[in-house]
Structures are given as structure tokens and as C-alpha cells.
Amino acid sequence: MKILLMGFSKLKYIPYLRFYLDNIDDQEHDIHVLYWNRDKKPENLADYENVTLHEFSKCQEDNVRISSKIPNFIRYRQYAKKLIRRGNYDFIIFLHSFPGVLLSNVLTRKYRGRYIYDYRDSTYEKYGFFKKIIHKLVNCSYATFVSSDGFRQLLPQEAKEKIYTSHNFIKESLDHREDKKRYGTSADAIRISYWGFIRDEKTNCLMMDRLANDPRFELHYYGREDRLTDRLKAYANEKKAENIWFHGEYVPEDRYRFICTTDLIHNVFGNRNMMIAMSNRFYDGAIFRIPQLCMKNAIMGNRVENAGIGFSCDPQNENYADAVYDYYMSLDHKAFEEACDNELERVLEEYHRGCQVIREATKRIEKENK
């Protein structure tokens, strides 16, 4: 059977792609992956030797207005539509809302019941036409995966029986679970770390307002730098903050190094989409047993507090630094580690259910094609 997975960014920025590739037998199926090289720089493709890669190569910044992205979105649509027509695929998995929206006519007609929709961003749900297309894509899918249970409230209730949760942790992280305990280093200050795509300028500026030059804390950012990051760096310089660092882009293996020097994970977001989303760092916190800071009343904030694996507070509060400090210093580390183990067990149970759904999908479509 011929299967196409459609990404909307560079491969290294689609870690959840592995969730699908790991559950599709590349010896039995002809697997193709479409990805968008947005900076036209090469990347390591060694992990994709058993799949056919299709690169759409157009420079595109992320943190710019949607209107400026439209020309390249149209070019992506043309490329993908031609690829689907020529490839004559049996099954499609699209890994972002935009490929689905841009190709909704093709998917809901020709591939009705023969695609999986991976939903992980509600940014454009405020537009009625966009939301209408999303609902149709969900209803016509074989299955829809959400990266956060918070997204379920945005999707059609009549399709709830085929909506599953996709937990976006990196499986290899489990092999490094004891690294923090074995190789972790101590410091005089509490080291708060953020890794991944840096976003939410307003909230990060608030974090700097509260923590800059407070000798109790260090604030570290690891991630690809763009215009937003440049503005944050400039803001830190304006404050003459000597305890805030930007380390730039990293390779996946570097995570295990700076995780060992992290005391608290920065998981604080204030924008609408991230208030109901789950970040990859949530899973890193549970896996590596590192407490995490989240926004009050956000999905992640409620989850970490209910599970006992973190602390939620709004950085708009003037006593934010004291509240974070008191939380960390009063932490019962034995109870905390047990709570992380319990949360990871819950996540893995849902993760394996998702794996089963993918395997069942490929078997069913293959049977129908015979």
C-alpha cells in the first residue's frame, strides 16, 4: 500500500512524525513524506532511509503576518496536489491543519475515510470559514489525533468517537530517563530552561520582568532564533539582565545535556492557542522528573497541578518570583518523582492506544483495496 505523510515544515521540526512512521511497517508499505524546507538549509536525513522524501523548498519565516505567507501556501498547495495526483496514494496522513485546509477538496472527496488528521494548532479557528473546513476534515477522516485534550472542545462532537490523543514525546527520551539523576549538576541559582520553538513574546517579556537580575534564578533559552528571539534578546539587554541566556539552535542529542542542568522547565504561555495546547516539554518534565512552570488556568497548568508534577502561576503577578522560589524550595522530591512516574504511565497507556489505531487503519485500508 502506498502512504503519504504530509508535513508543513522541515523534518527536524516535526518530531511527532516518528509517532506515525514507527507504527507503519516500511517493509510492507511504500511510505512517502512531504516536507517544507523553509530556510533552504540541508538537514540530516539519515533517519529516513526507508521512506521516499519529497522536499518543497521555499524560504518562509514563521513569525510574520499570515497575509505574507499566502503566496507560498498557494505554491505548497500546487506542489502537494500534483504529488498526490501523480502518486495515486492509498492513504494520507497530514500533520498540520494547513495541508488539510489547502487540500480539503481532494481529501474530503477522493480520500474520504482514507486519511488521518493530526490536529495541533487552533490559531486560526477564529475565522469561521477555517473552522468550517476543519470540522469537515474531522468528520471525513478515518481518525483524528489531537495533541491536547483541550482541542477536543473545538472539534465536532458527532465525531468524538474517532478522536484520539497523540502524546508528542520523543521515544528515545525514555532511554535517557535517568540521565538527570546520574549526571545532573547543581548550582547556586534555580535554573529555568525553555527549549524548542521560541514564541509568545509578551509572556516571555513578563517572565524577564519578574526574574531579570534576581540572584535566585537563571533563565535559559534553547532554540532556533528569528525576529521574535532577536526582540527578546534586545529586551533582556535593555534590562541589563545578567542571568538570562539565549543559546541558539540545538540538535536533538543536545537536549540530554541541558536537561541535566535544568531545575525548572519553562512551560508558560499566555496566547489563546497555547492555553489549550500541550507542549513537548510537558512530557520531558514527566520523563526526566523535572518540575515545570505553567500558566494559571491553562490546560497544562491544570494538568501539572492535578498530577503533582509542576506549578502554575501567572507572571503578571508581582510576587511571581517569590511564588516560584517558594514552590521549588518546598518541593517533596520523593513524592514529586512518584507523581511523574504515575503521569508517565497514564501517557504511555494512551500512546499505545494511538499506536494501535494507526496499525488498524493501514490494515483496514489495505484489506479494502484488495
Side-chain angles (χ1 to χ4, degrees):
M1 188 166 74
K2 203 170 182 181
I3 301 172
L4 174 64
L5 294 96
M6 301 174 59
F8 207 57
S9 63
K10 298 189 73 166
L11 290 168
K12 63 181 177 181
Y13 300 130
I14 320 175
Y16 45 93
L17 172 62
R18 291 251 53 105
F19 172 62
Y20 296 97
L21 291 179
D22 289 345
N23 289 288
I24 302 173
D25 191 336
D26 57 25
Q27 299 300 310
E28 292 187 10
H29 304 293
D30 182 11
I31 304 172
H32 293 241
V33 175
L34 166 62
Y35 67 101
W36 184 345
N37 185 345
R38 295 187 173 213
D39 59 12
K40 291 194 173 183
K41 294 179 181 178
E43 58 181 319
N44 185 2
L45 305 178
D47 291 338
Y48 303 95
E49 293 179 351
N50 295 328
V51 304
T52 302
L53 296 175
H54 303 273
E55 180 188 79
F56 174 70
S57 182
K58 289 287 180 183
C59 286
Q60 178 62 66
E61 290 187 75
D62 292 308
N63 288 309
V64 294
R65 289 180 299 179
I66 184 66
S67 58
S68 68
K69 299 180 182 180
I70 290 176
N72 278 339
F73 284 4
I74 294 173
R75 294 184 183 101
Y76 176 94
R77 179 181 184 275
Q78 292 169 339
Y79 183 93
K81 195 172 182 180
K82 185 181 295 184
L83 178 66
I84 292 172
R85 185 173 64 250
R86 290 178 177 176
N88 194 27
Y89 298 97
D90 300 296
F91 195 68
I92 292 178
I93 301 172
F94 59 99
L95 306 174
H96 192 285
S97 290
F98 268 111
V101 170
L102 293 171
L103 295 153
S104 59
N105 286 341
V106 176
L107 291 166
T108 57
R109 292 176 184 174
K110 184 178 178 181
Y111 285 91
R112 188 184 186 97
R114 292 195 293 133
Y115 65 84
I116 285 177
Y117 177 13
D118 189 287
Y119 182 97
R120 55 186 57 250
D121 188 347
S122 66
T123 303
Y124 301 103
E125 297 289 73
K126 58 187 176 183
Y127 301 112
F129 76 93
F130 196 94
K131 183 176 181 179
K132 185 176 180 180
I133 295 173
I134 294 298
H135 279 221
K136 187 173 182 180
L137 286 167
V138 173
N139 282 322
C140 294
S141 70
Y142 173 89
T144 293
F145 282 89
V146 292
S147 59
S148 167
D149 285 337
F151 289 142
R152 292 174 181 270
Q153 62 187 283
L154 303 175
L155 302 182
Q157 291 303 299
E158 63 269 22
K160 64 181 181 180
E161 297 301 323
K162 60 178 178 180
I163 298 176
Y164 305 89
T165 301
S166 166
H167 292 293
N168 299 318
F169 65 92
I170 300 173
K171 282 180 63 178
E172 289 74 13
S173 296
L174 297 172
D175 298 329
H176 295 267
R177 195 170 189 220
E178 303 303 323
D179 284 10
K180 168 73 172 172
K181 185 177 290 187
R182 291 172 182 165
Y183 312 119
T185 58
S186 59
D188 294 333
I190 299 170
R191 295 161 301 188
I192 302 173
S193 297
Y194 180 107
W195 54 87
F197 182 54
I198 301 171
R199 64 184 81 194
D200 199 342
E201 182 176 0
K202 180 180 177 181
T203 299
N204 279 293
C205 285
L206 278 171
M207 293 279 285
M208 292 182 193
D209 289 340
R210 303 305 177 209
L211 303 177
N213 294 317
D214 187 324
R216 297 175 296 178
F217 301 99
E218 293 178 2
L219 182 57
H220 296 264
Y221 290 90
Y222 302 86
R224 176 167 53 107
E225 297 184 358
D226 57 10
R227 292 181 185 179
L228 187 151
T229 315
D230 290 339
R231 292 195 296 270
L232 291 176
K233 291 168 74 172
Y235 191 74
N237 288 333
E238 287 175 15
K239 302 185 79 64
K240 295 182 170 57
E242 297 182 357
N243 62 337
I244 300 174
W245 289 271
F246 291 84
H247 301 276
E249 190 170 10
Y250 62 90
V251 296
E253 294 74 20
D254 287 340
R255 289 168 60 255
Y256 308 119
R257 173 180 53 79
F258 54 70
I259 277 170
C260 288
T261 63
T262 296
D263 301 310
L264 284 171
I265 295 175
H266 172 355
N267 234 341
V268 187
F269 297 93
N271 65 60
R272 176 182 172 276
N273 179 62
M274 290 306 297
M275 286 292 285
I276 58 174
M278 302 290 289
S279 78
N280 293 341
R281 289 181 304 285
F282 170 84
Y283 303 103
D284 287 338
I287 291 171
F288 299 108
R289 304 184 185 94
I290 305 174
Q292 52 195 291
L293 302 177
C294 297
M295 179 65 81
K296 192 72 175 177
N297 297 322
I299 286 290
M300 279 192 291
N302 294 337
R303 185 66 227 163
V304 298
E305 294 214 326
N306 290 337
I309 63 171
F311 177 68
S312 67
C313 188
D314 191 332
Q316 291 192 72
N317 295 341
E318 292 185 2
N319 67 339
Y320 183 77
D322 290 337
V324 171
Y325 181 80
D326 291 344
Y327 163 75
Y328 186 78
M329 297 306 293
S330 64
L331 198 62
D332 181 334
H333 289 278
K334 183 178 179 181
F336 168 76
E337 290 185 2
E338 290 178 356
C340 287
D341 294 344
N342 292 336
E343 181 64 7
L344 181 59
E345 184 178 352
R346 181 192 72 83
V347 165
L348 288 174
E349 184 176 339
E350 289 192 346
Y351 174 83
H352 291 307
R353 171 58 183 144
C355 295
Q356 183 181 351
V357 169
I358 297 169
R359 292 193 291 267
E360 289 173 351
T362 55
K363 288 181 180 177
R364 175 177 167 183
I365 302 301
E366 186 174 31
K367 185 177 180 180
E368 290 177 356
N369 287 344
K370 290 181 178 179

